[in-house]
Amino acid sequence: MLQRIQCKDREEWLAQRYRGIGGSEASAAIGMSPWMSPVELWKLKVGIAQPKDLSGNSAIMQGVAYEPILREFYKAIHPQYEVWYHATDILYQEERPFIFATLDGEIMDETGRFGILEIKTATPNGKAGWEQWSNGNMPQHYYVQVLHQLIATGYEFVSLFACLFSLNGDMTLKSYEIERNEVEEDMAWLLEQEQEFWGYMERNSMPPMPLIL
């Protein structure tokens, strides 16, 4: 059963994030993040390391600035959907409180199904970076994030709305639709991996260091 914590402000929301694994942390928990290892995430969760100050990170600042604009644009091009946003709500399943999500938007389609809006901004690096977004694909760590959000919410679908910038400033908008019933196997695999990571948290035992080949 879906549960919702309505935090009164960002400070309370940040404190609640230690309760489990958030969507942006899912790829780190399973060793698929380009920015953080499972060990680094574990150290943050148990309090022996502090989060990096990313307030001056240009990519994050860009994402924060564009998110409300892109959310309104998404609503404009999808008038058949009802879209709402709660910046500091935490959603999770009663039986799995350690897997939670705060969403960029919640959707109800014309049939009454509930879905997830995920907004991304990125500047892909070279040909390889753009290929991660081509042919209906998205970067692997973002795919893990939306699978995690489906697990946390129990919702039926995801709309990922991405604004991609080239080095000369050109913008490309991409939309990706993921149906829950088409990714059940991937979700089951991810749930198993996240449960394994959280087991280290419960035992207060550091996960193994990744092999560097």
Side-chain angles (χ1 to χ4, degrees):
M1 181 180 295
L2 180 64
Q3 304 292 308
R4 184 186 296 265
I5 300 173
Q6 296 177 306
C7 301
K8 66 179 184 296
D9 53 32
R10 181 169 174 78
E11 287 68 30
E12 182 181 340
W13 177 80
L14 287 170
Q16 287 284 347
R17 286 181 62 83
Y18 289 95
R19 63 182 287 117
I21 305 166
S24 61
E25 300 165 335
S27 61
I30 66 170
M32 294 176 65
S33 169
W35 304 293
M36 183 183 295
S37 72
V39 171
E40 290 171 320
L41 178 61
W42 179 86
K43 288 180 178 179
L44 287 175
K45 293 295 180 182
V46 299
I48 62 177
Q50 296 299 313
K52 295 178 181 177
D53 181 6
L54 300 176
S55 57
N57 183 289
S58 59
I60 291 177
M61 293 171 63
Q62 182 184 66
V64 170
Y66 273 86
E67 182 183 315
I69 299 168
L70 292 171
R71 185 163 39 247
E72 290 303 313
F73 187 43
Y74 179 88
K75 291 165 66 174
I77 62 178
H78 293 283
Q80 74 276 26
Y81 291 166
E82 182 179 345
V83 181
W84 62 96
Y85 172 60
H86 301 288
T88 55
D89 279 12
I90 292 174
L91 284 68
Y92 64 93
Q93 294 296 306
E94 186 175 19
E95 66 272 24
R96 291 188 297 273
F98 66 93
I99 293 180
F100 67 85
T102 295
L103 305 178
D104 294 336
E106 295 174 71
I107 303 168
M108 186 171 68
D109 71 10
E110 60 270 38
T111 69
R113 298 190 312 152
F114 289 97
I116 295 161
L117 173 60
E118 178 61 27
I119 296 171
K120 294 297 182 190
T121 58
T123 304
N125 185 16
K127 181 179 178 181
W130 282 97
E131 284 179 349
Q132 292 184 70
W133 291 97
S134 64
N135 301 317
N137 296 319
M138 66 181 71
Q140 198 171 48
H141 52 287
Y142 291 153
Y143 180 60
V144 169
Q145 181 176 354
V146 297
L147 291 178
H148 173 101
Q149 292 170 337
L150 286 170
I151 294 170
T153 62
Y155 288 172
E156 294 299 322
F157 64 96
V158 177
S159 285
L160 187 145
F161 193 47
C163 181
L164 309 179
F165 297 89
S166 67
L167 293 179
N168 64 10
D170 290 342
M171 296 168 52
T172 300
L173 295 175
K174 287 183 171 285
S175 295
Y176 301 82
E177 306 298 321
I178 298 173
E179 290 288 335
R180 183 187 190 91
N181 61 10
E182 295 176 356
V183 294
E184 292 283 0
E185 289 186 8
D186 289 349
M187 288 168 54
W189 174 84
L190 177 60
L191 177 57
E192 182 179 334
Q193 298 299 308
E194 293 197 66
Q195 287 173 326
E196 181 178 346
F197 173 82
W198 199 249
Y200 289 106
M201 295 293 303
E202 294 177 326
R203 297 188 298 273
N204 196 28
S205 173
M206 184 184 294
M209 297 287 288
L211 290 174
I212 301 176
L213 301 178

